[in-house]
Amino acid sequence: MATRSLPTLPQADVASHNTAKSCYITLGTKVYDITPFLDDHPGGGDLIVEYGGKDVRGIMADEISHTHSESAYEILDDYLVGFVATDQVIEDVVASDAPDEIVPLPPSDQGLKELAKKNGPIVKDAEGRPIYANTGMSCAEDLEKETDLAADYKTHKFLDLEKPLLMQVWTGGFSKDFYLEQVHRPRHYKGGASAPLFGNFLEPLTKTAWYVVPSVWLPCVAYGTFTAFTGLSSVFELVAYWITGLCIWTLVEYGLHRCLFHVDHYLPDNRVGLTLHFLLHGIHHYLPMDKLRLVMPPTLFLILATPFWYLAHSVFFYNCEFSSILDPASAMLTDCRLPSYFRELKKYHLQHHFADYENGFGVTSRFWDWVFKTELPPPRVLKVT
């Protein structure tokens, strides 16, 4: 199960926050610290404090008192601090044969069914879809919802998307745990072409339109194929090399993604490690829909590809460019109208971003996810009422 980005709080702890100095409320299993909102509440803070430490679903929907609008629920999202393990949830965990299906929250589909027997559906968005607590999202469409830049920075105290990001990571003094929680909660920046990373002359080197990758690498692939063919005795051998190369590339891609880009929990807890992580892959998870940072810039790819180039020439006698062809394919998965097979691959990769970043490392193939048991299940669909 993926690491949660918000804690699961005991019910007794939530109930103790019932004063104007610290006021929590709950909606289902979501916990909100609305202390900063007390003075802004149209009906006065005292009305909220009356329900401090309690669930407010009933009163917010009460027509006699005041039925709250949809915007009221949206305001609450800014104050989400965790999830509550109610006494009923704990009882269900103790009685369950598979307690790990229920906690940490949010529960799996099986856990939802068990909890629904007594508590009803939990941890849902406005449309009734289960929310993945590690990302705060329910589906791929959530990745494209525009982030309120000012509210996001005020709430999370992480990065200001209107200022150069890399220096903020370097000087932010973030702990590793906080950094990983935040960088894996995707934002969607629509303030311009891309959020600023360096904010200086280096900025263009961080942006790569999808068509740049095939433009750079397809000529290399063509030249390598021609060179290899001159040293081979038949087209059959060339095809065999190509098929072998394609298969090896899918493994290399999986290995890089899992063992280099996602060494999250092995990162040193210092600004050097966090800044390098953000530059290499963290920014892609923080802003997964940035069209100019969806693929690896050729300059960075050259650095990472160099050891694999020498490995290829050590293993294969002929100079066959076996490892480049699918990088253009990876690029086109991100920003094109695609055949159905590639659309499914794209959906699968987006699920890695909105649901579970600790699994689903294949981009151009799901095969190695299946082999190494990191394959993502279908996205959760709420089936209980």
Side-chain angles (χ1 to χ4, degrees):
M1 180 175 285
T3 302
R4 293 169 291 126
S5 58
L6 292 174
T8 300
L9 306 172
Q11 188 175 34
D13 184 24
V14 175
S16 68
H17 292 267
N18 57 4
T19 69
K21 293 183 178 180
S22 181
C23 186
Y24 286 7
I25 59 170
T26 65
L27 276 173
T29 58
K30 290 184 180 180
V31 181
Y32 304 91
D33 179 1
I34 55 167
T35 311
F37 180 69
L38 293 178
D39 291 337
D40 297 327
H41 185 242
D46 291 342
L47 288 177
I48 299 181
V49 173
E50 183 181 344
Y51 292 90
K54 302 175 184 177
D55 191 276
V56 296
R57 284 178 296 183
I59 191 62
M60 289 188 72
D62 184 24
E63 295 182 4
I64 297 176
S65 173
H66 171 57
T67 302
H68 287 70
S69 66
E70 207 170 294
S71 61
Y73 292 91
E74 292 175 357
I75 290 173
L76 276 178
D77 288 339
D78 293 336
Y79 302 99
L80 181 66
V81 294
F83 300 91
V84 61
T86 64
D87 292 340
Q88 186 60 62
V89 169
I90 297 301
E91 289 178 14
D92 291 345
V93 168
V94 173
S96 175
D97 293 329
D100 58 313
E101 298 287 341
I102 298 176
V103 293
L105 295 170
S108 68
D109 290 339
Q110 184 58 40
L112 275 173
K113 291 178 180 178
E114 288 197 36
L115 292 174
K117 293 177 181 177
K118 296 181 179 179
N119 303 324
I122 62 172
V123 196
K124 301 183 297 180
D125 64 10
E127 298 180 20
R129 297 170 301 197
I131 292 174
Y132 295 90
N134 58 315
T135 64
M137 295 187 169
S138 299
C139 59
E141 288 74 16
D142 288 345
L143 293 169
E144 299 191 60
K145 292 181 179 178
E146 183 175 2
T147 298
D148 184 325
L149 305 187
D152 181 74
Y153 183 65
K154 178 181 178 182
T155 300
H156 298 287
K157 302 294 189 297
F158 183 46
L159 301 179
D160 185 344
L161 282 163
E162 297 183 288
K163 299 177 181 178
L165 300 175
L166 197 65
M167 188 55 65
Q168 293 182 69
V169 177
W170 178 258
T171 61
F174 306 126
S175 70
K176 182 177 76 171
D177 288 342
F178 176 76
Y179 165 82
L180 290 174
E181 288 175 0
Q182 292 299 320
V183 85
H184 290 300
R185 293 181 70 83
R187 275 73 164 180
H188 186 40
Y189 175 84
K190 295 186 72 173
S194 294
L197 181 60
F198 288 102
N200 56 30
F201 67 94
L202 294 173
E203 198 73 20
L205 294 178
T206 72
K207 301 175 182 179
T208 308
W210 72 268
Y211 55 80
V212 171
V213 178
S215 298
V216 170
W217 292 110
L218 285 178
C220 298
V221 172
Y223 174 76
T225 301
F226 174 77
T227 303
F229 185 63
T230 60
L232 297 171
S233 59
S234 68
V235 174
F236 175 79
E237 286 187 71
L238 180 65
V239 172
Y241 267 89
W242 261 77
I243 293 174
T244 302
L246 295 179
C247 293
I248 291 176
W249 168 247
T250 61
L251 178 59
V252 170
E253 174 193 66
Y254 176 91
L256 283 173
H257 195 185
R258 182 177 184 180
C259 302
L260 178 62
F261 298 160
H262 278 279
V263 291
D264 299 354
H265 301 293
Y266 298 98
L267 285 175
D269 194 356
N270 58 53
R271 65 180 183 176
V272 175
L274 302 187
T275 303
L276 287 175
H277 179 275
F278 188 79
L279 185 63
L280 186 63
H281 197 58
I283 188 172
H284 177 54
H285 272 263
Y286 188 62
L287 298 165
M289 305 310 289
D290 184 338
K291 292 186 177 181
L292 295 182
R293 295 197 178 105
L294 287 172
V295 297
M296 187 178 297
T299 49
L300 180 57
F301 186 88
L302 279 173
I303 297 172
L304 295 178
T306 299
F308 292 101
W309 169 271
Y310 286 106
L311 174 63
H313 283 263
S314 299
V315 175
F316 294 93
F317 181 75
Y318 299 107
N319 294 337
C320 185
E321 288 287 341
F322 71 89
S323 65
S324 296
I325 185 60
L326 281 189
D327 196 66
S330 300
M332 290 183 288
L333 274 177
T334 62
D335 201 32
C336 292
R337 290 186 178 89
L338 302 166
S340 59
Y341 171 74
F342 290 103
R343 285 200 301 270
E344 290 304 312
L345 282 178
K346 180 177 180 179
K347 290 179 182 178
Y348 182 73
H349 183 62
L350 289 178
Q351 190 180 345
H352 168 74
H353 284 278
F354 77 78
D356 184 358
Y357 60 85
E358 292 185 328
N359 289 291
F361 302 107
V363 179
T364 52
S365 171
R366 300 172 61 162
F367 176 75
W368 298 109
D369 277 319
W370 175 76
V371 170
F372 294 111
K373 301 187 185 304
T374 57
E375 189 174 18
L376 292 167
R380 293 176 183 167
V381 177
L382 194 63
K383 298 179 181 178
V384 293
T385 57

